[in-house]
């Protein structure tokens, strides 16, 4: 692994932010990141706030928050927002027209370069969507992306990866893309293979298992060969994926202190898989007083981020050869609480 730090690991829940600072003074050019994946338009219930005045809508109409989303794009945006110079670029397929333009405008407004986005001009080209709907048991994601421009156009030969990655220091991808269909899966694998063949380009892979897209076993079968080939420098997991994969590998410590079990599992899996950096993202619902003050005190007992507290606290832990690194002392607090994080 190259002797530089990960400029960012924006990898936990919907926005996923956890910054890790360099031990050396890397320039912006040495921290360039290429993020590859699908963007979606998200529609989520408007969070309730003390000052919110509801519109006089007739049932069954409801207020929603419309926003540009996409796990990979979120990483590029977050990195750009904490960097002094434009150092992140986004690679994807977008439809021609106002929806595709809205995605590019949102990315560019945050300093993300979009010149390598492929624009699909075919008739009826669409942008994927994510609607959060409460089915009576709580907010649930409902995707409409199988016929999106990205899902139908992206393939193994859509992008010139050697050219795109030659100036990059990091390629960021997620486990969402390979479950979107054969074309996106081929583009994803080709990108990972190109990064492995590009001198000086590391790969960060957010496992990001989405049950609505496929099983954990299906996703691991796609990710594992790249991990085994030592093509991944940073692999990020959720708490659920960490436990399930550790149990699958027979290294989950069993009952005991939650963090101690998670830390032991991270260390064991890192050594077993040969991943230089293996991380886990955490989020807890913050009690109202912690959400208001931005502190972490007493928040970890509120694990259900959908129903408890007045905000969400997020932090990351990364296992390295030298030990554990955590952003727990500088967590990100989101408020008000939002459906599905």
């Amino acid at each position: 692994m190259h002797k530089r730090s990960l400029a960012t690991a924006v990898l936990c829940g919907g926005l996923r932010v956890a910054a890790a600072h360099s031990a050396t003074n890397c320039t912006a050019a040495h921290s360039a990141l290429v993020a590859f994946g699908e963007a979606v338009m998200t529609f989520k219930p408007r969070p309730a706030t003390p000052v919110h005045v509801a519109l006089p809508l007739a049932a069954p109409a409801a207020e929603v928050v419309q926003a540009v989303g996409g796990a990979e794009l979120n990483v590029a945006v977050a990195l750009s927002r904490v960097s002094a110079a434009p150092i992140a670029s986004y690679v994807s397929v977008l439809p021609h027209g106002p929806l595709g333009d809205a995605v590019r405008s949102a990315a560019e407004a945050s300093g993300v370069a979009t010149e390598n986005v492929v624009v699909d001009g075919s008739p009826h080209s669409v942008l994927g969507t994510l609607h959060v709907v409460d089915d009576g048991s709580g907010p649930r994601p409902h995707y409409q992306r199988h016929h999106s421009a990205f899902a139908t156009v992206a393939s193994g030969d859509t992008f010139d990866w050697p050219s795109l990655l030659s100036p990059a220091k990091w390629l960021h991808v997620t486990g969402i893309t390979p479950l979107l269909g054969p074309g996106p899966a081929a583009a994803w694998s080709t990108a990972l293979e190109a990064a492995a063949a590009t001198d000086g380009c590391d790969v960060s892979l957010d496992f990001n298992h989405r049950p609505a897209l496929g099983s954990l076993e299906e996703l691991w079968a796609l990710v594992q060969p790249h991990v085994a080939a030592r093509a991944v420098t940073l692999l990020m997991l959720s708490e659920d994926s960490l436990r399930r994969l550790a149990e699958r590998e027979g290294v989950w410590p069993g009952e005991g202190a939650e963090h101690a079990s998670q830390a032991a599992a991270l260390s064991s899996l890192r050594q077993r898989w040969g991943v230089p950096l293996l991380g886990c993202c955490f989020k807890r619902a913050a009690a109202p007083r912690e959400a208001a003050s931005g502190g972490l005190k007493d928040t970890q007992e509120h694990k259900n981020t959908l129903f408890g507290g007045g905000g969400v606290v997020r932090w990351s832990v990364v296992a390295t050869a030298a030990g554990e690194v955590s952003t727990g002392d500088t967590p990100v607090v989101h408020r008000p609480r939002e459906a599905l994080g």
Side-chain angles (χ1 to χ4, degrees), residues 192 203-205 223 226-227 229-235 274-277:
L192 286 168
V203 171
S204 68
L205 196 162
V223 170
H226 297 284
V227 172
R230 303 294 192 267
V232 178
T233 301
L234 168 68
L235 176 62
V275 182
L277 303 170

Side-chain angles (χ1 to χ4, degrees), residues 91 113 267:
V91 177
S267 179

Side-chain angles (χ1 to χ4, degrees), residues 237-261:
L237 306 172
S238 67
E239 290 182 79
D240 179 66
S241 293
L242 169 62
R243 177 162 190 153
R244 292 175 63 185
L245 289 171
E247 290 175 340
R248 184 180 183 280
E249 297 282 344
V251 298
W252 183 254
E255 299 303 321
E258 183 179 49
H259 177 69
S261 294

Side-chain angles (χ1 to χ4, degrees), residues 12 20-21 23 119 133 165 187 200-201 204 209 211 258 273 284 293 295 340:
C12 212
H21 298 287
V119 177
V133 179
L165 296 176
C201 184
S204 68
H209 173 234
E258 183 179 49
W273 292 339
R284 297 290 186 272
S293 64
L340 293 185

Side-chain angles (χ1 to χ4, degrees), residues 281-295:
C281 290
F282 300 87
K283 62 179 179 179
R284 297 290 186 272
R289 64 182 184 279
E290 280 76 37
S293 64

Side-chain angles (χ1 to χ4, degrees), residues 8-19 44 70-72 74-75 78 172-174 176 205-210 234-240 279-284 305 312-318 327-328 331-332 334 338 340-341:
T8 189
V10 187
L11 310 168
C12 212
L15 182 57
R16 309 191 178 222
V17 178
K44 298 182 178 182
E72 302 86 359
N74 288 337
V75 170
H172 175 68
V173 295
T174 76
I176 296 172
L205 196 162
D206 174 14
F207 191 66
N208 205 335
H209 173 234
R210 304 291 178 92
L234 168 68
L235 176 62
M236 294 297 296
L237 306 172
S238 67
E239 290 182 79
D240 179 66
C280 184
C281 290
F282 300 87
K283 62 179 179 179
R284 297 290 186 272
T305 61
V312 176
V313 180
R314 303 172 185 268
W315 71 100
S316 297
V317 175
V318 178
T327 60
V332 174
H334 298 275
E338 177 183 308
L340 293 185

